[in-house]
Amino acid sequence: MIKILRFLRPYRLQISAVLVLIFLQSMANLYLPNLMADIVDNGIVKHDTNYILRVGGLMLVITVAGTIAAIASSYMASRTAIGFGRILRGQIFAHVQGFSLHEFDSVSTASMITRTTNDTTQVQQVVIIMLQMMISAPMMAIGGIILAVNQDATLSWTLVAIVPIVAIVFFLIMRRAIPLFQVMQKKIDRLNLVLDESLTGVRVIRAFDRSNYESQRFDVANLDLTDTAVTVNRIVAALWPTMMLILNLTTIAIFWFGSIRISNGQMQVGALIAFIQYATQILFALLMVSMMFVILPRAAASADRINEVLAMQPEIKDPEQAQSPKDMHGTVEFREVTFRYPGAEEPALAGISFTASPGKVTAIIGGTGSGKSTLISLIPRFYDVQSGNVLVDGVDVRHIAQHDLRAKIGFVPQRAVLFTGTVNENIRFGKADASDEEVRHAAEVAQAMEFIAEMPDGFDSIIAQGGNNVSGGQKQRLSIARALVRRPEIYVFDDSFSALDFKTDAQLRAALMPEIGDSTVLIVAQRVSTVMDADQIIVLDEGKTVGIGTHHTLMQTCEAYREIVSSQLAAEEIA
Amino acid sequence: MQPQRTQRPGGPMGRGPMGGGPMGGFGMVGAKPKNFRGTLTRLLQYFRPQALALSFVVLAAILSTVFNIIGPKILGFATTRLFQGVVQIYMHVPGAHVDFTYIGNIMLILLGLYLISAIFGYLQQYVMAGVAQRTVYLMRKQVDEKLARLPLKFYDSRTHGEILSRAVNDMDNISNTLQQSLTQLITSVVTIIGVIVLMLTISPILSLVVLITLPLSVVVAAQVAKRSQKYFAGQQRALGELNGHVEEMYTGHKIVKAFGREEESIARFKELNDKYYDSGWRAQFISGIIFPMMNSIGNLGYVFVAVVGGVMVANGSLALGDVQAFIQYARQFSMPITQLASITNTIQLTIASAERVFELLDEPEEILEMPAMPALVAPRGTVQFEHVSFRYKDDTPLIEDMNMEVHPGQTIAIVGPTGAGKTTLVNLLMRFYELNSGKILIDGVDIKEMPRGELRRKFGMVLQDTWLFHGSIRDNIAYGREDASEAEIMQAAKAAYADHFIRTMPENYKTELNEEASNISQGQKQLLTIARAILANPEILILDEATSSVDTRTEVLIQKAMTELMQGRTTFVIAHRLSTIRDADTILVMNHGSIIEQGTHEELLAKHGFYAELYNSQFTGRVLEEELV
């Protein structure tokens, strides 16, 4: 938690100002009872109306001054806290943008999002509360005690005695409540999970006629949560009345002991009245501080999660001295490449060697987990190899600046990802300065023209977040258009055609061929029909190459390939 | 089907278990309720079974508050007596002393009052915890039961996030308000009224002095509440956009990297972050000053009381203890007003939440079913479509006057480009949706005349978007039949070729599937759903042939398991494999969700229609061409 507060550094000046202002405000609040005591002891006792009015005027001035200080401090505190949030968020986001896929794998994307959004808001909230309320609490407490001692040192012992009592009571109640809050949160999550499952699985549940069973499941979770919630709330129910009782008992004690002292002539009545008010203010301040203990653990957990992200260093960095690749139109070469995911026992790829040449189509086929997607994600250097080399235009990818390397590549992922914005903007994501003509052409080749034309605003139609307003196949075609508009030297299609129906798949591939020209093309596919025409097919099985060649040669030489083909086409159709 | 995680929009002042304190309600933004009174009345209905407990809560809250606020007045007596003694000593009146017996008695009375107040305060919270949570329990249960009765049309026309938000966030709102704001409301009102009454009994003139500040408090509280809501709404909007950008950029991280767009993404983030800062600090500022402002107004009252009271005491028209009591009252006055302003907002939002929940509870349910099950007319597994017409939207017909007869054991292949075709068919067969006209008969009985559960148990579904829940593998298979024995479950797993992989899992059949069922592969999930269907032993099957994302070996297993499952059962299969299609007894050709052609492979080819074209483009590579004609 403290570590993360380093981002407050630019606001040192403002924070000092807030401290001073809050100090002034607290003192203003505390000084009023002091003046009140003067009114009683000097004004009332001596029947001096002028004195009363004079002191009253002073009180008014102090009230106004306190208010101004409060508003000014709130102003600065708000700017500081939200400014802190802005810096924090900006830092995390920029930091995460530099991450390689490995960092994203190690902390899930969902968690990464939560850390950037919810966790920062959580921490920011604590800073706000600290600056607006918490700082004033100890000041009030300490200032109050100082003034109390000033009025009557002996009676102040009652106040000193009360502080540990409040602390102990609070500790006793919270020690039982806080773990239960955590349990309750888990049970809420559990209830949500059950509900979520019954929403996603509604068809299956009804098909199996298991609605009753699901209702029971929900009811068990619901009852469980309710029980805990009741228990927690009953424990916490004691907190406020107990605190109020302590406050009131303190008042009684002060009054009793104060009376004795007054009777002995050691103290004045006005001082006693002031004293009671100090006690009230000090206790309220303590309550505020104790709230901190409730909020802090949660925010500290958020801060830890954020620090974890900030501490992660991207594994993949640009070379110190980047080499510029030779002009080879995007030749991709793998030399004895072995790659292992961090922590994995078996390598995902082992001893892979091949060359994909410009103007040629290289297809990669194999079962799930055979390493196809891993293989091609090495080309844009999403991961670094353990041994061997991946070369693009004759240079090891680790020696090329990432930006330059990726500028050569048009990448189409397995799961199409689109962004909020128009169709136009999504395609131009591939090439920011593409002309309308280029965008249109890319859409045509990607077989996207037809459905774009059917959309209400054509190329200016809005794609919703995550591309939820277009079908899977349409998303994929836009994602292909996005890569095409780049006119890259290297095309990488990661199983990009399986979301398309056979007909569109065939049409797209037919349209693609003349486009590709001198570029190098790598296609990962599941369907044999997609790869049959490739110049070179690489058959992967459990991370190893089990065959390289054309459809015809592989049919004769490669058992694994034949197995794949026969599982997809009935025997008589293979010819 | 991956369970979608919905993020709960945590308000800027996320109301934790401790509540947001007195200002909690200012930071919350939301829609205003449409029918405040109606919804409130309906919400109150929920308390009826607990009317007794609730009246106790109200009574306890009132008593606790009254006993608490009466304190300063009584303490005032002691102060007055003390002061008298002191003044007498000061004026050297003979025999002057402080009357400690009197003061001691007052102290004891106060002790009693405060103790009673604390006890009632505790009891009130204690009982309310039960009342509030039980009420929310009941509402949640109702929502869940309601969801089970809603037609699929409801689910299909809404996102999960929307439904979850009502069942979770809105419910949370209601729960928090019931727990905290309700008693706070009572306490605040009683405090305000009680303090005014007590002040009047002490000194009407001084009361007037304090009450001068009242309109000021109300105006300030209302103004600040209004403004802060406006800024908070802006802040929420900005935060929404900001979080949206983060979500997109993170989920699309690979793409951002691949296309080298990190700079642009950061620039856009900065822009949104600045926007958030702009409205954010304003919202915080406005809501942050409410407390000091009210405090200042309280101080103002305090100063007035001190001066006017001081002068009156000096004149001898008022006792010192009364002034002291007034000072305490003046301080206690601003707090409940602040709270009220905050609570009003909270209650509005809660009523809006309740309204959304009630809307859900009022959704039209599935049409009630026929109670009796007519005798079977046809043998098991017959399916007849008679003049079936169906449309989701009134103006776009999907299926018009469709007729079909399927005999037991026959296979019907559904073919067509990707689209919603198969879902429609499932929807109709299982009566997830109602037909517009015509009827579907299963085993000779109109499905409308069958209890839904009965009808649906006749079907087994093995779809590509497998649905498994968070639980053990065993429980997931046993989902197919409640009373299945362990032996039967393993039998089914064996028949589905799933037994082997299950035994390689750390805890065999007891292995828990995690939340997203990501600890088994897509293919393994399908095997489990097949096992589930085998165990259920349905007479009619709806199958989805595997296409992508399954490795070859598993695919072979799936295919084998499916073929065996299909033996002797009427099967509707969403077909991708040529052999399945050609062997089907009937092919339904679907496009854009409607059935456009129907017949056997040969019949359809001879038609030279959509199917013929599809067939030629899909399944005939150059290699196959010669064989076709």
Side-chain angles (χ1 to χ4, degrees), chain B residues 14 18-19 42 54 64 73 75 92 127 174 182 221 284 304 309 353-354 383 387 456 467 471 489 503 598:
Chain B
M18 294 291 294
R42 189 161 164 193
L54 198 65
S64 162
K73 182 175 166 142
L75 187 67
H92 305 289
V127 175
I174 298 173
L182 215 59
Q284 283 312 330
F304 291 154
S353 280
V383 180
H387 306 288
R456 288 171 189 165
W467 181 80
I489 290 168
R503 287 186 191 282
Q598 182 183 340

Side-chain angles (χ1 to χ4, degrees), chain B residues 312-332:
Chain B
M312 284 171 79
V313 176
N315 293 342
S317 57
L318 198 70
L320 178 66
D322 294 340
V323 177
Q324 195 226 343
F326 253 92
I327 285 173
Q328 282 180 318
Y329 288 137
R331 282 229 180 253
Q332 273 180 18

Side-chain angles (χ1 to χ4, degrees), chain A residues 57-258:
Chain A
L58 186 58
M59 287 173 91
L60 213 57
V61 171
I62 287 176
T63 301
V64 172
T67 311
I68 292 170
I71 292 176
S73 81
S74 175
Y75 175 80
M76 261 182 272
S78 309
R79 292 193 77 124
T80 304
I82 306 286
F84 162 80
R86 173 166 70 170
I87 295 175
L88 187 60
R89 253 188 296 272
Q91 289 277 346
I92 300 172
F93 189 81
H95 189 65
V96 169
Q97 287 298 301
F99 279 1
S100 68
L101 291 189
H102 170 216
E103 284 83 38
F104 262 88
D105 294 343
S106 60
V107 181
S108 74
T109 309
S111 165
M112 207 75 105
I113 294 170
T114 322
R115 288 169 199 228
T116 316
T117 56
N118 284 11
D119 284 340
T120 48
T121 313
Q122 196 75 248
V123 173
Q124 173 184 292
Q125 198 56 37
V126 165
V127 174
I128 291 171
I129 293 172
M130 276 205 288
L131 289 179
Q132 284 189 342
M133 292 189 233
M134 295 303 167
I135 292 180
S136 76
M139 287 191 185
M140 286 290 263
I142 295 166
I145 288 177
I146 292 172
L147 286 175
V149 170
N150 205 24
Q151 287 280 0
D152 191 296
T154 320
L155 197 53
S156 302
W157 286 108
T158 28
L159 289 179
V160 176
I162 220 70
V163 173
I165 296 179
V166 171
I168 289 170
V169 169
F170 187 80
F171 173 76
L172 285 180
I173 293 177
M174 278 304 145
R175 196 183 52 177
R176 288 187 60 204
I178 287 175
L180 278 175
F181 280 136
Q182 284 156 2
V183 172
M184 189 164 100
Q185 191 53 48
K186 284 206 188 87
K187 289 184 178 172
I188 290 175
D189 291 345
R190 164 80 196 159
L191 186 75
N192 290 347
L193 175 70
V194 172
L195 189 66
D196 194 38
E197 278 186 343
S198 67
L199 287 182
T200 31
V202 64
R203 279 193 161 74
V204 182
I205 292 165
R206 298 209 175 169
F208 283 107
D209 191 26
R210 295 297 293 270
S211 298
N212 283 337
Y213 172 77
E214 288 298 323
S215 290
Q216 276 164 25
R217 228 157 70 93
F218 182 86
D219 199 42
V220 168
N222 191 4
L223 210 57
D224 198 27
L225 171 65
T226 305
D227 285 345
T228 311
V230 170
T231 316
V232 168
N233 280 307
R234 284 187 173 165
I235 292 172
V236 176
L239 192 62
W240 193 249
T242 317
M243 292 293 171
M244 284 307 287
L245 188 64
I246 294 176
L247 170 67
N248 288 327
L249 293 184
T250 312
T251 312
I252 294 175
I254 290 174
F255 196 91
W256 179 249
F257 294 119

Side-chain angles (χ1 to χ4, degrees), chain A residues 10-29:
Chain A
Y11 289 97
R12 264 172 304 187
L13 217 64
Q14 280 90 330
I15 292 173
S16 320
V18 168
L19 284 174
V20 172
L21 286 168
I22 286 185
F23 178 74
L24 290 178
Q25 182 205 343
S26 309
M27 282 304 129
N29 272 331

Side-chain angles (χ1 to χ4, degrees), chain B residues 110-312:
Chain B
L110 278 177
L111 194 70
L113 284 180
Y114 286 138
L115 261 177
I116 295 172
S117 165
I119 290 169
F120 276 120
Y122 174 65
L123 285 180
Q124 159 230 322
Q125 284 288 332
Y126 185 91
V127 175
M128 196 61 203
V131 173
Q133 297 307 325
R134 264 195 297 276
T135 307
V136 175
Y137 164 79
L138 201 72
M139 285 181 84
R140 268 201 295 256
K141 194 180 161 87
Q142 279 189 354
V143 167
D144 181 62
E145 280 166 1
K146 178 74 187 188
L147 285 174
R149 290 194 303 268
L150 286 174
L152 277 195
K153 198 174 180 169
F154 172 82
Y155 290 90
D156 291 344
S157 56
R158 276 168 193 78
T159 64
H160 287 168
E162 237 178 287
I163 303 174
L164 272 179
S165 147
R166 288 179 192 219
V168 177
N169 296 354
D170 285 331
M171 215 52 111
D172 240 30
N173 262 342
I174 298 173
S175 152
N176 278 329
T177 301
L178 290 185
Q179 182 67 50
Q180 288 160 6
S181 309
L182 215 59
T183 48
Q184 252 180 33
L185 179 71
I186 299 168
T187 319
S188 302
V189 172
V190 174
T191 306
I192 293 175
I193 296 172
V195 165
I196 291 178
V197 170
L198 283 169
M199 286 197 297
L200 285 173
T201 62
I202 300 173
S203 161
I205 299 175
L206 222 44
S207 306
L208 206 66
V209 170
V210 174
L211 289 181
I212 288 172
T213 60
L214 182 66
L216 195 60
S217 321
V218 173
V219 169
V220 169
Q223 282 297 320
V224 171
K226 203 174 87 188
R227 252 161 248 250
S228 80
Q229 266 185 57
K230 194 182 97 194
Y231 284 121
F232 268 115
Q235 187 197 21
Q236 275 311 76
R237 248 196 321 276
L239 189 65
E241 276 182 68
L242 189 70
N243 290 352
H245 182 69
V246 170
E247 209 176 314
E248 275 202 322
M249 288 305 121
Y250 284 10
T251 37
H253 185 69
K254 198 173 180 177
I255 300 303
V256 175
K257 293 239 116 178
F259 289 92
R261 298 279 292 219
E262 293 96 329
E263 294 304 320
E264 286 87 342
S265 157
I266 292 173
R268 171 84 182 131
F269 181 84
K270 202 172 164 314
E271 196 182 304
L272 292 171
N273 201 4
D274 288 346
K275 209 166 130 192
Y276 170 76
Y277 170 80
D278 248 23
S279 54
W281 78 260
R282 284 191 171 85
Q284 283 312 330
F285 173 55
I286 295 284
S287 71
I289 59 171
I290 177 91
F291 193 73
M293 291 282 267
M294 296 308 278
N295 189 39
S296 298
I297 294 171
N299 280 344
L300 220 55
Y302 176 92
V303 173
F304 291 154
V305 169
V307 172
V308 177
V311 171
M312 284 171 79

Side-chain angles (χ1 to χ4, degrees), chain B residues 224-512:
Chain B
V224 171
K226 203 174 87 188
R227 252 161 248 250
S228 80
Q229 266 185 57
K230 194 182 97 194
Y231 284 121
F232 268 115
Q235 187 197 21
Q236 275 311 76
R237 248 196 321 276
L239 189 65
E241 276 182 68
L242 189 70
N243 290 352
H245 182 69
V246 170
E247 209 176 314
E248 275 202 322
M249 288 305 121
Y250 284 10
T251 37
H253 185 69
K254 198 173 180 177
I255 300 303
V256 175
K257 293 239 116 178
F259 289 92
R261 298 279 292 219
E262 293 96 329
E263 294 304 320
E264 286 87 342
S265 157
I266 292 173
R268 171 84 182 131
F269 181 84
K270 202 172 164 314
E271 196 182 304
L272 292 171
N273 201 4
D274 288 346
K275 209 166 130 192
Y276 170 76
Y277 170 80
D278 248 23
S279 54
W281 78 260
R282 284 191 171 85
Q284 283 312 330
F285 173 55
I286 295 284
S287 71
I289 59 171
I290 177 91
F291 193 73
M293 291 282 267
M294 296 308 278
N295 189 39
S296 298
I297 294 171
N299 280 344
L300 220 55
Y302 176 92
V303 173
F304 291 154
V305 169
V307 172
V308 177
V311 171
M312 284 171 79
V313 176
N315 293 342
S317 57
L318 198 70
L320 178 66
D322 294 340
V323 177
Q324 195 226 343
F326 253 92
I327 285 173
Q328 282 180 318
Y329 288 137
R331 282 229 180 253
Q332 273 180 18
F333 208 55
S334 59
M335 182 72 142
I337 291 176
T338 324
Q339 274 185 352
L340 270 187
S342 150
I343 292 169
T344 337
N345 189 24
T346 310
I347 287 182
Q348 283 235 340
L349 294 178
T350 307
I351 294 293
S353 280
E355 200 162 60
R356 281 192 293 274
V357 172
F358 291 147
E359 257 169 35
L360 182 86
L361 288 177
D362 292 341
E363 286 285 335
E365 299 180 6
E366 280 188 317
I367 298 166
L368 276 179
E369 47 203 24
M370 294 288 167
M373 169 83 179
L376 294 183
V377 185
R380 278 167 59 90
T382 315
V383 180
Q384 288 153 282
F385 278 61
E386 285 180 6
H387 306 288
V388 168
S389 296
F390 177 72
R391 49 186 69 181
Y392 287 108
K393 285 187 219 142
D394 287 339
D395 52 348
T396 31
L398 270 187
I399 294 170
E400 291 288 286
D401 194 36
M402 176 183 170
N403 290 289
M404 178 170 70
E405 183 155 355
V406 184
H407 299 293
Q410 279 193 334
T411 299
I412 296 87
I414 296 131
V415 181
T418 47
K422 63 176 182 184
T423 325
T424 306
L425 208 77
V426 172
N427 283 344
L428 297 188
L429 281 172
M430 296 218 188
R431 204 176 157 213
F432 287 144
Y433 279 73
E434 300 291 336
L435 298 180
N436 291 72
S437 66
K439 56 184 168 178
I440 297 175
L441 299 106
I442 298 208
D443 299 346
V445 180
D446 188 336
I447 57 170
K448 276 189 174 166
E449 283 160 20
M450 267 184 236
R452 278 197 183 77
E454 197 82 39
L455 164 70
R456 288 171 189 165
R457 270 199 298 273
K458 287 176 183 292
F459 287 92
M461 278 203 298
V462 182
L463 299 184
Q464 226 191 335
D465 36 5
T466 52
W467 181 80
L468 298 171
F469 63 92
H470 181 62
S472 71
I473 289 185
R474 183 219 165 268
D475 288 348
N476 268 289
I477 298 176
Y479 206 80
R481 217 175 75 211
E482 244 164 299
D483 54 352
S485 70
E486 297 308 307
E488 284 172 311
I489 290 168
M490 272 183 225
Q491 191 67 42
K494 277 194 189 114
Y497 298 95
D499 185 66
H500 175 71
F501 96 80
I502 295 172
R503 287 186 191 282
T504 64
M505 305 286 289
E507 287 177 77
N508 296 327
Y509 282 83
K510 291 202 187 82
T511 309
E512 293 276 323

Side-chain angles (χ1 to χ4, degrees), chain A residues 392-436:
Chain A
V392 167
D393 286 345
V395 179
D396 191 308
V397 290
R398 283 170 291 191
H399 298 147
I400 310 174
Q402 290 174 65
H403 196 270
D404 296 342
L405 170 67
R406 290 172 191 150
K408 290 171 172 291
I409 301 168
F411 188 86
V412 186
Q414 195 169 4
R415 263 187 55 235
V417 177
L418 298 180
F419 299 106
T420 314
T422 62
V423 170
N424 242 327
E425 284 164 357
N426 266 289
I427 297 179
R428 281 214 175 89
F429 198 85
K431 187 182 175 197
D433 56 355
S435 69
D436 285 350

